[in-house]
Amino acid sequence: MVRAVIAIHGGAGAIARASMRAEQERHYTQALADIVARGQAVLAAGGSALDAVTEAVRLLEECPLFNAGKGAVFTHEGTHELDASIMDGRSLEAGAVAGVRHIRNPILAARAVLDNSPHVLLIGDGAETFAAGQGLEQVAPDFFSTAARWEQLERARNTHQVLLDHGGAAAGYRESDEGEKAGWPRDNAGVAGDVAREAGAMAGSAGEPLDADRKLGTVGAVALDLEGNLAAATSTGGMTNKQAGRVGDSPIVGAGCYANNATVAVSCTGTGEVYMRLLAAYDIAAQMEYGGLTLAQASDRVILHKVPELGGSGGAIAIDRTGNVALPFNCEGMYRGYGYVGEAPVTSIYREEPGAENNKEQEDDE
């Protein structure tokens, strides 16, 4: 019997644990747990893996703690350019958008491309027009902005850096009112705006668990449903101070997102240019299909060896067709969580902590 399961990530990177209080870390783990629980509820009700990952990533986009949707980082020009992708492991259909500026939830636009377009990837103005035609909510560009991200852009400009990260907390920014101003909508059952508001206040006081100026900012979800179908979804605001028009791995099927019922569903977070060169998400599936590797072996080979060999950093989340879960990363930490239907969500940030195992194999696995 299939054990439905979902896993999510909120980015990977360096650790600023010494400056964190237990209460502050709790806000991040609670947000992860709430979103995992929402995905579990979709699966438990007989919902598809595709619907579960869509909803999980939408909620991650709505949370200003993570670099996707609200709270996205700025380009060098002080604008936002958002990317997202989604893939159905049952049909191998996929949808993606890149460089969008007005779509409140890019993952919903990517899903609409999958469901209602003959194409796989739409970009820029074309993607915006398509999304509007699908009735998706449009917002002013400053909807995505926070004071934290602007201060991070200023630091990046001053040091002539492009930062693969999430926010500016580790450098002492203040975001005390961002959760209150633009927290999650109250209609997200089980994921109330309380978490976002508390997290905004927390960020203003001391920062986030992962060093924001060394964090790889992407969100994603993978799931296996009761029918045995796999799906994956990924969304990002990109890199702080990136050149306008830059696109990373997140909207590239096979690089930052991949799902195939024959093998595995994967969502990546990391150095986008390296993940694209390796087709990292697909490579995990290929290692399993053609090399006979287990999920743990394939994901470790790609994330722990092949990515660092090209100078990359980051992680991935993956679920195979039998429900095994892998959460590998080659840096100090990764915001992550997973949950089998009927069990409590498991969340972790750092490498060594209770429940932080990187591979979860079912006891009845072959």
Side-chain angles (χ1 to χ4, degrees), residues 30-345:
Q30 186 64 56
L32 293 169
D34 286 343
I35 294 171
V36 169
R38 181 62 176 264
Q40 289 174 298
V42 172
L43 296 172
S48 69
L50 198 63
D51 286 345
V53 299
T54 301
E55 178 66 357
V57 172
R58 184 186 73 84
L59 292 172
L60 287 162
E61 289 176 342
E62 289 292 329
C63 179
L65 292 174
F66 304 108
N67 175 23
K70 178 64 181 178
V73 298
F74 287 92
T75 68
H76 180 74
E77 287 74 17
T79 60
H80 300 287
E81 295 182 354
L82 311 177
D83 310 322
S85 64
I86 189 168
M87 188 166 184
D88 185 351
R90 178 180 57 86
S91 63
L92 299 187
E93 293 179 327
V97 295
V100 298
R101 300 184 180 189
H102 301 91
I103 302 171
R104 175 168 181 154
N105 294 110
I107 194 60
L108 297 184
R111 177 68 184 271
V113 172
L114 185 156
D115 288 337
N116 303 318
S117 169
H119 308 299
V120 170
L121 173 62
L122 298 178
I123 66 169
D125 292 342
E128 302 270 3
T129 300
F130 172 80
Q134 295 295 308
L136 298 180
E137 183 176 356
Q138 308 291 301
V139 296
D142 62 1
F143 168 83
F144 305 109
S145 304
T146 66
R149 305 299 183 258
W150 185 258
E151 291 187 20
Q152 185 183 357
L153 173 63
E154 291 182 325
R155 290 199 307 277
R157 284 171 167 172
N158 290 338
T159 56
H160 305 288
Q161 292 180 313
V162 175
L163 303 177
L164 294 160
D165 61 32
H166 165 278
Y173 73 95
R174 293 200 57 80
E175 193 181 325
S176 58
D177 63 342
E178 294 299 343
E180 183 69 37
K181 286 167 54 182
W184 302 345
R186 282 280 177 182
D187 62 358
N188 293 337
V191 193
D194 296 338
V195 177
R197 285 194 298 275
E198 290 176 3
M202 173 275 295
S205 62
E208 56 182 307
L210 300 189
D211 183 336
D213 286 343
R214 296 164 61 202
K215 179 180 177 294
L216 307 161
T218 304
V219 305
V222 292
L224 173 71
D225 64 29
L226 293 171
E227 300 297 324
N229 296 311
L230 292 164
T234 307
S235 182
T236 189
M239 303 188 302
T240 294
N241 202 31
K242 67 181 180 182
Q243 180 175 329
R246 179 265 183 186
V247 175
D249 65 300
S250 294
I252 306 301
V253 174
C257 177
Y258 187 76
N260 187 332
N261 275 10
T263 49
V264 66
V266 183
S267 175
C268 298
T269 173
T271 313
E273 281 68 16
V274 171
Y275 279 65
M276 284 190 286
R277 290 160 61 195
L278 289 173
L279 286 177
Y282 174 73
D283 195 13
I284 293 174
Q287 301 266 349
M288 297 173 67
E289 182 173 3
Y290 304 122
L293 273 62
T294 66
L295 172 63
Q297 292 169 335
S299 58
D300 283 356
R301 176 175 290 185
V302 173
I303 300 302
L304 304 185
H305 298 284
K306 298 182 76 172
V307 169
E309 285 172 1
L310 291 185
S313 178
I317 55 173
I319 296 175
D320 70 15
R321 61 188 180 90
T322 63
N324 297 314
V325 177
L327 311 163
F329 53 96
N330 59 38
C331 43
E332 290 92 332
M334 181 170 71
Y335 294 118
R336 61 202 187 277
Y338 70 90
Y340 291 93
V341 167
E343 298 183 5

